[in-house]
Amino acid sequence: MTFRFGTVGSPVSTPKKPGGSVGGILRAAELGLDALELGWVQSVRVSDKTCAAIRKAAEERGIALSVHAPYFINLNAKDPAILESSRGRLMKAARAGYAAGATDIIFHAGGYMGDDPEAAFETIRSRLEEIAEELRSEQTDVVLRPETLGKSAQFGTLEEVVELSRAIEGVAPCIDFAHLHARAGDGSFNSYREFSDALSYVKKRLGERALKTMHIHLSGIEYGPKGEKRHLVLRESDLAYTELLQALIDAGAEGRILCESPVLEEDALVLRKECLKLYKRKRA
Ligand SMILES: [Zn+2]
């Protein structure tokens, strides 16, 4: 199997003790999952000691870790105080994540704030470049991954995150296929053809390596004309996840697939099982 599967945030069935990120890692391993995205989405409050414990648990269980940085980050902020706190949140997630053994930091880049998309891109590019350089200079060796987002007011089309990745060393996309489907707003971006075209585009702009180290978010999703409303259980949604998995396999993609549906691990296991089935069929 060339994909690892896991959840965004600890599995729902993580027991209260030991709980926390370590509990989530142990539970993920018990479930037969091999990746976990730590959901540090409100704030990053984790001691050095906890980071060391997280790293150790993940190494022992063979769980690949990433971190979802706090939601409240806006690299296109006009208010200097908001920009500074946004920078601070992303840097803190990266430093603590690195200490905890995470290799990838996922974040929402921001909103358009009334700017045209080109202006927003340029602002976010220059600010993210500074952050990436600062982290590199202090040897915080993580990949920063802006995520494709589900609402039309959010910065984060596939093109935007791919072009940011092309422009800045140490930046790569986190592709949330459910968000892209929701963002389309009309039910499109939900077919083998559209998924395959997106993967060809990633390969063309970022090279083969980007396809071999993909970081993917997946869940069912409810949407309207302005995009995402909420995440849904896969089988209660219209997301064509079998076609997506087939497109990924046919493109030779590899990496991690993290599920953020309301039944996190149940759907992560649905995806894992389906993916295994498609691999077997392809090899047969
Ligand atoms: Zn996210």
Side-chain angles (χ1 to χ4, degrees), residues 68 71 106 108 147 149 179 217 260:
H68 197 306
Y71 291 132
I106 318 314
H108 300 181
E147 180 182 339
L149 296 177
H179 282 167
H217 280 179
E260 49 182 353

Side-chain angles (χ1 to χ4, degrees), residues 92-140:
K92 202 169 169 189
R95 291 177 183 134
Y98 182 62
T103 50
D104 299 79
I105 312 298
I106 318 314
F107 66 101
H108 300 181
Y112 295 110
M113 316 295 291
D115 292 349
D116 63 53
E118 293 75 20
F121 180 90
E122 190 41 40
T123 303
I124 290 173
R125 186 203 57 74
S126 70
R127 291 169 174 177
L128 184 57
E129 189 158 38
E130 275 177 31
I131 293 169
E133 273 171 18
E134 197 169 329
L135 289 170
R136 199 165 36 249
S137 72
E138 62 182 41
Q139 271 109 41
T140 300

Side-chain angles (χ1 to χ4, degrees), residues 14-151:
T14 302
K16 289 236 162 31
K17 283 185 179 172
S21 298
V22 170
I25 289 164
L26 301 181
R27 184 61 188 146
E30 266 173 16
L31 288 161
L33 298 170
D34 48 11
L36 177 64
E37 187 169 314
L38 303 171
W40 294 349
V41 295
Q42 302 306 330
S43 62
V44 181
R45 277 177 308 181
V46 56
S47 67
D48 292 349
K49 199 177 145 203
T50 304
C51 286
I54 293 171
R55 173 187 279 269
K56 182 164 177 278
E59 279 173 4
E60 282 172 3
R61 309 286 158 142
I63 304 285
L65 291 182
S66 45
V67 164
H68 197 306
Y71 291 132
F72 197 65
I73 287 176
N74 185 358
L75 298 182
N76 193 33
K78 309 292 173 201
D79 180 333
I82 294 178
L83 175 61
E84 210 30 55
S85 58
S86 294
R87 270 176 54 87
R89 288 187 181 100
L90 182 52
M91 304 278 288
K92 202 169 169 189
R95 291 177 183 134
Y98 182 62
T103 50
D104 299 79
I105 312 298
I106 318 314
F107 66 101
H108 300 181
Y112 295 110
M113 316 295 291
D115 292 349
D116 63 53
E118 293 75 20
F121 180 90
E122 190 41 40
T123 303
I124 290 173
R125 186 203 57 74
S126 70
R127 291 169 174 177
L128 184 57
E129 189 158 38
E130 275 177 31
I131 293 169
E133 273 171 18
E134 197 169 329
L135 289 170
R136 199 165 36 249
S137 72
E138 62 182 41
Q139 271 109 41
T140 300
D141 187 15
V142 289
V143 178
L144 297 175
R145 294 195 183 252
E147 180 182 339
T148 60
L149 296 177
K151 293 185 185 135

